[in-house]
Amino acid sequence: MAETIYTVEKDTKVPFNNNVAFCVGTGRMGLALQKEYQEQLALVQEEIGFSHIRGHGLFSDDMAIYQEYTDENGKKYAEYNFTYLDLVMDSYRKLHIRPFLELGFMPEKMASGEQTVFYWKGNVTPPESYDAWCALVQATLRHLMDRYGAQEVTGWPIEVWNEPNLPGFWKDADMEEYFKLFARTFAAIKEVDERFRVGGPAICGVEDEKWIRCFMEFCRKESIPVDFVTRHHYTTEVPEKDGHYGYVKLREPEEGFANLQTTRDIVDSFEEFQGMEIHITEFNTSYIPNCPLHDTNQNAAYIAGQLSRLGDMNESYSYWTFGDIFEEQGVPFTPFHGGFGLVANGGIPKPTFWTFKFFKDLQGTCVHRSDDAVVVRTEDGSYRGIAWNRTMEGCGEDRGFTFRLPMDVSEEKEYTILKKTVDEVTCNPLKLWHAMGEPSSLTEKQKKLLKEGARPFVEADRKKLTDGAAEVCLTVRENGVVYFEVSAVKAGGDRGYCYKRVIGK
């Protein structure tokens, strides 16, 4: 077993931008009307607590916002129905999460064409009338401001469209037409209230460098003071299809980080946009919602490495998605089907769920960061850390980690080590489901058992300091993620109670 020792010196500070809980993705907005969706989001919010949520379908027909009627003279008029929008936004507010508004897709009655995407047929053509589109955007924002307050709503980031560089998401991937949409939409939003922050171009993959550069050039040419730049980030090769599923190979992380750095460099090459916020409004390993990798411990360990570095170049990075109530390719057949979510249907946390929980708890001054671990020191002098062991298929082995951490103590000579382990042995609901026979419809008993098998293994110990330092020893199995906390033990206990006598020592 490979052994790694990390010694932290007193007063060490290491750069680490941890914005793990700023935003998370969701399926189309209309799915928020479902009970299971709300239960999964409530679980995510209770354990992790994201600040924002972003998804498609704000203006798709299932939300029913855009309507038309014809008067007695045969003239058409627009009208707006915010019934479902209010239900969704009210439910988000109850769970203490705000929208990162993505403006799309096109209402059928407003669209210039019939091209759609996904099982639920989101229209991806430009508006027949840009004036009508801008009026829809403005009416929606004004309604939200009236309902929830201008101060609140103007703080919600707004992104114009989704992946217009892909012909499946924007007719013909027409760059000139998208820039027209962006310019008109940007102006319409700022007319409602200058405080709104608006960004784009929300591109993914194909010709990303060209699109980012051309977008910045367009904003410069048209004197558009864009507020932030958005893009997406996925890290697998093209899937190999088999039945309902797509099997993928992970790319080495450095490829993805180099690509993100290119975006950062392009934006910074424009003097007026230098240092501008870049938000990754979607990221995951695979970009398909039927990839079994998403349900695995390998995914959890790989994502740990991503979360340790994505903040270096980006203001935020939104995992796609929080849960598996999701229908881009139709309704899934089984609870474990390779969905994007942190939570499987049935309310079962996947291993990657805990990677996010651990990073959310990693608040403090960073004192160590490497390719396999991050440690922070909190204000009270305790430590929190994460170590992971991502291994490629067929060549994995356990790894040993030792962290030597200086502690400022006076009377306290002992410290507590709390460990939470997520790996293929201790927290692997996918393996448990497989052992059950891979049932497609779970009974309540099966759901309960899977939830029990989806919890981290928790252990704790008390040790004495050595030369004023705590020593944390971890064994991280292949594809494992281990979280730990180290804090001084305060003197206490009841008169006559002796733990050593209790356990026979």
PDB file of all heavy atoms in Angstrom, residues 288-304:
ATOM      1  N   ILE A 288     -24.187  12.726 -20.438  1.00  0.00           N
ATOM      2  CA  ILE A 288     -25.443  12.050 -20.755  1.00  0.00           C
ATOM      3  C   ILE A 288     -26.116  11.586 -19.453  1.00  0.00           C
ATOM      4  O   ILE A 288     -25.437  11.251 -18.483  1.00  0.00           O
ATOM      5  CB  ILE A 288     -25.223  10.851 -21.700  1.00  0.00           C
ATOM      6  CG1 ILE A 288     -24.249   9.829 -21.080  1.00  0.00           C
ATOM      7  CG2 ILE A 288     -24.733  11.327 -23.058  1.00  0.00           C
ATOM      8  CD1 ILE A 288     -24.153   8.534 -21.875  1.00  0.00           C
ATOM      9  N   PRO A 289     -27.452  11.555 -19.425  1.00  0.00           N
ATOM     10  CA  PRO A 289     -28.183  11.233 -18.192  1.00  0.00           C
ATOM     11  C   PRO A 289     -28.439   9.747 -17.993  1.00  0.00           C
ATOM     12  O   PRO A 289     -29.293   9.368 -17.183  1.00  0.00           O
ATOM     13  CB  PRO A 289     -29.500  11.981 -18.393  1.00  0.00           C
ATOM     14  CG  PRO A 289     -29.726  11.919 -19.862  1.00  0.00           C
ATOM     15  CD  PRO A 289     -28.364  12.010 -20.498  1.00  0.00           C
ATOM     16  N   ASN A 290     -27.733   8.909 -18.739  1.00  0.00           N
ATOM     17  CA  ASN A 290     -27.885   7.457 -18.605  1.00  0.00           C
ATOM     18  C   ASN A 290     -26.518   6.794 -18.584  1.00  0.00           C
ATOM     19  O   ASN A 290     -26.291   5.778 -19.234  1.00  0.00           O
ATOM     20  CB  ASN A 290     -28.739   6.909 -19.758  1.00  0.00           C
ATOM     21  CG  ASN A 290     -28.174   7.278 -21.131  1.00  0.00           C
ATOM     22  OD1 ASN A 290     -27.378   8.207 -21.250  1.00  0.00           O
ATOM     23  ND2 ASN A 290     -28.591   6.558 -22.167  1.00  0.00           N
ATOM     24  N   CYS A 291     -25.620   7.397 -17.820  1.00  0.00           N
ATOM     25  CA  CYS A 291     -24.231   6.930 -17.738  1.00  0.00           C
ATOM     26  C   CYS A 291     -24.000   6.288 -16.370  1.00  0.00           C
ATOM     27  O   CYS A 291     -23.945   6.992 -15.352  1.00  0.00           O
ATOM     28  CB  CYS A 291     -23.274   8.105 -17.946  1.00  0.00           C
ATOM     29  SG  CYS A 291     -21.546   7.631 -17.764  1.00  0.00           S
ATOM     30  N   PRO A 292     -23.867   4.971 -16.289  1.00  0.00           N
ATOM     31  CA  PRO A 292     -23.717   4.301 -14.997  1.00  0.00           C
ATOM     32  C   PRO A 292     -22.573   4.836 -14.137  1.00  0.00           C
ATOM     33  O   PRO A 292     -22.610   4.694 -12.907  1.00  0.00           O
ATOM     34  CB  PRO A 292     -23.481   2.835 -15.393  1.00  0.00           C
ATOM     35  CG  PRO A 292     -24.225   2.690 -16.688  1.00  0.00           C
ATOM     36  CD  PRO A 292     -23.993   3.996 -17.404  1.00  0.00           C
ATOM     37  N   LEU A 293     -21.568   5.451 -14.733  1.00  0.00           N
ATOM     38  CA  LEU A 293     -20.473   6.035 -13.960  1.00  0.00           C
ATOM     39  C   LEU A 293     -20.979   6.982 -12.877  1.00  0.00           C
ATOM     40  O   LEU A 293     -20.403   7.046 -11.781  1.00  0.00           O
ATOM     41  CB  LEU A 293     -19.529   6.779 -14.911  1.00  0.00           C
ATOM     42  CG  LEU A 293     -18.417   7.612 -14.268  1.00  0.00           C
ATOM     43  CD1 LEU A 293     -17.401   6.707 -13.585  1.00  0.00           C
ATOM     44  CD2 LEU A 293     -17.738   8.510 -15.302  1.00  0.00           C
ATOM     45  N   HIS A 294     -22.031   7.729 -13.168  1.00  0.00           N
ATOM     46  CA  HIS A 294     -22.526   8.735 -12.226  1.00  0.00           C
ATOM     47  C   HIS A 294     -22.920   8.150 -10.872  1.00  0.00           C
ATOM     48  O   HIS A 294     -22.929   8.865  -9.868  1.00  0.00           O
ATOM     49  CB  HIS A 294     -23.750   9.451 -12.811  1.00  0.00           C
ATOM     50  CG  HIS A 294     -23.443  10.321 -13.988  1.00  0.00           C
ATOM     51  ND1 HIS A 294     -24.306  10.468 -15.055  1.00  0.00           N
ATOM     52  CD2 HIS A 294     -22.359  11.078 -14.287  1.00  0.00           C
ATOM     53  CE1 HIS A 294     -23.781  11.288 -15.939  1.00  0.00           C
ATOM     54  NE2 HIS A 294     -22.588  11.667 -15.498  1.00  0.00           N
ATOM     55  N   ASP A 295     -23.260   6.878 -10.840  1.00  0.00           N
ATOM     56  CA  ASP A 295     -23.756   6.249  -9.612  1.00  0.00           C
ATOM     57  C   ASP A 295     -22.647   5.638  -8.760  1.00  0.00           C
ATOM     58  O   ASP A 295     -22.925   5.068  -7.706  1.00  0.00           O
ATOM     59  CB  ASP A 295     -24.764   5.145  -9.963  1.00  0.00           C
ATOM     60  CG  ASP A 295     -25.968   5.665 -10.726  1.00  0.00           C
ATOM     61  OD1 ASP A 295     -26.262   6.873 -10.647  1.00  0.00           O
ATOM     62  OD2 ASP A 295     -26.625   4.855 -11.425  1.00  0.00           O
ATOM     63  N   THR A 296     -21.399   5.751  -9.202  1.00  0.00           N
ATOM     64  CA  THR A 296     -20.315   4.975  -8.610  1.00  0.00           C
ATOM     65  C   THR A 296     -19.453   5.763  -7.634  1.00  0.00           C
ATOM     66  O   THR A 296     -19.446   6.986  -7.611  1.00  0.00           O
ATOM     67  CB  THR A 296     -19.392   4.434  -9.719  1.00  0.00           C
ATOM     68  OG1 THR A 296     -18.731   5.550 -10.358  1.00  0.00           O
ATOM     69  CG2 THR A 296     -20.174   3.644 -10.756  1.00  0.00           C
ATOM     70  N   ASN A 297     -18.660   5.020  -6.866  1.00  0.00           N
ATOM     71  CA  ASN A 297     -17.653   5.630  -5.993  1.00  0.00           C
ATOM     72  C   ASN A 297     -16.521   6.244  -6.800  1.00  0.00           C
ATOM     73  O   ASN A 297     -15.904   7.225  -6.360  1.00  0.00           O
ATOM     74  CB  ASN A 297     -17.104   4.592  -5.019  1.00  0.00           C
ATOM     75  CG  ASN A 297     -18.141   4.137  -4.023  1.00  0.00           C
ATOM     76  OD1 ASN A 297     -18.918   3.215  -4.303  1.00  0.00           O
ATOM     77  ND2 ASN A 297     -18.185   4.764  -2.871  1.00  0.00           N
ATOM     78  N   GLN A 298     -16.244   5.708  -7.975  1.00  0.00           N
ATOM     79  CA  GLN A 298     -15.212   6.304  -8.822  1.00  0.00           C
ATOM     80  C   GLN A 298     -15.604   7.731  -9.193  1.00  0.00           C
ATOM     81  O   GLN A 298     -14.761   8.640  -9.210  1.00  0.00           O
ATOM     82  CB  GLN A 298     -15.003   5.477 -10.092  1.00  0.00           C
ATOM     83  CG  GLN A 298     -13.854   6.011 -10.946  1.00  0.00           C
ATOM     84  CD  GLN A 298     -13.669   5.252 -12.247  1.00  0.00           C
ATOM     85  OE1 GLN A 298     -14.571   4.585 -12.725  1.00  0.00           O
ATOM     86  NE2 GLN A 298     -12.492   5.360 -12.822  1.00  0.00           N
ATOM     87  N   ASN A 299     -16.878   7.943  -9.476  1.00  0.00           N
ATOM     88  CA  ASN A 299     -17.365   9.291  -9.784  1.00  0.00           C
ATOM     89  C   ASN A 299     -17.134  10.222  -8.600  1.00  0.00           C
ATOM     90  O   ASN A 299     -16.692  11.373  -8.743  1.00  0.00           O
ATOM     91  CB  ASN A 299     -18.853   9.242 -10.130  1.00  0.00           C
ATOM     92  CG  ASN A 299     -19.324  10.467 -10.888  1.00  0.00           C
ATOM     93  OD1 ASN A 299     -19.132  10.580 -12.092  1.00  0.00           O
ATOM     94  ND2 ASN A 299     -19.947  11.401 -10.177  1.00  0.00           N
ATOM     95  N   ALA A 300     -17.398   9.726  -7.396  1.00  0.00           N
ATOM     96  CA  ALA A 300     -17.240  10.543  -6.186  1.00  0.00           C
ATOM     97  C   ALA A 300     -15.789  10.961  -5.987  1.00  0.00           C
ATOM     98  O   ALA A 300     -15.500  12.116  -5.641  1.00  0.00           O
ATOM     99  CB  ALA A 300     -17.735   9.776  -4.969  1.00  0.00           C
ATOM    100  N   ALA A 301     -14.853  10.034  -6.208  1.00  0.00           N
ATOM    101  CA  ALA A 301     -13.435  10.348  -6.012  1.00  0.00           C
ATOM    102  C   ALA A 301     -12.929  11.288  -7.101  1.00  0.00           C
ATOM    103  O   ALA A 301     -12.133  12.199  -6.833  1.00  0.00           O
ATOM    104  CB  ALA A 301     -12.619   9.056  -6.002  1.00  0.00           C
ATOM    105  N   TYR A 302     -13.380  11.087  -8.333  1.00  0.00           N
ATOM    106  CA  TYR A 302     -12.970  11.965  -9.427  1.00  0.00           C
ATOM    107  C   TYR A 302     -13.486  13.383  -9.190  1.00  0.00           C
ATOM    108  O   TYR A 302     -12.755  14.365  -9.375  1.00  0.00           O
ATOM    109  CB  TYR A 302     -13.514  11.419 -10.747  1.00  0.00           C
ATOM    110  CG  TYR A 302     -13.012  12.147 -11.980  1.00  0.00           C
ATOM    111  CD1 TYR A 302     -11.916  11.679 -12.689  1.00  0.00           C
ATOM    112  CD2 TYR A 302     -13.644  13.297 -12.442  1.00  0.00           C
ATOM    113  CE1 TYR A 302     -11.455  12.323 -13.830  1.00  0.00           C
ATOM    114  CE2 TYR A 302     -13.199  13.963 -13.574  1.00  0.00           C
ATOM    115  CZ  TYR A 302     -12.107  13.467 -14.269  1.00  0.00           C
ATOM    116  OH  TYR A 302     -11.657  14.126 -15.387  1.00  0.00           O
ATOM    117  N   ILE A 303     -14.735  13.513  -8.769  1.00  0.00           N
ATOM    118  CA  ILE A 303     -15.329  14.832  -8.524  1.00  0.00           C
ATOM    119  C   ILE A 303     -14.618  15.533  -7.363  1.00  0.00           C
ATOM    120  O   ILE A 303     -14.499  16.766  -7.347  1.00  0.00           O
ATOM    121  CB  ILE A 303     -16.836  14.705  -8.257  1.00  0.00           C
ATOM    122  CG1 ILE A 303     -17.569  14.295  -9.543  1.00  0.00           C
ATOM    123  CG2 ILE A 303     -17.416  16.006  -7.719  1.00  0.00           C
ATOM    124  CD1 ILE A 303     -17.491  15.310 -10.680  1.00  0.00           C
ATOM    125  N   ALA A 304     -14.101  14.783  -6.390  1.00  0.00           N
ATOM    126  CA  ALA A 304     -13.338  15.408  -5.303  1.00  0.00           C
ATOM    127  C   ALA A 304     -12.157  16.185  -5.870  1.00  0.00           C
ATOM    128  O   ALA A 304     -11.880  17.326  -5.463  1.00  0.00           O
ATOM    129  CB  ALA A 304     -12.859  14.350  -4.313  1.00  0.00           C
TER     130      ALA A 304
END
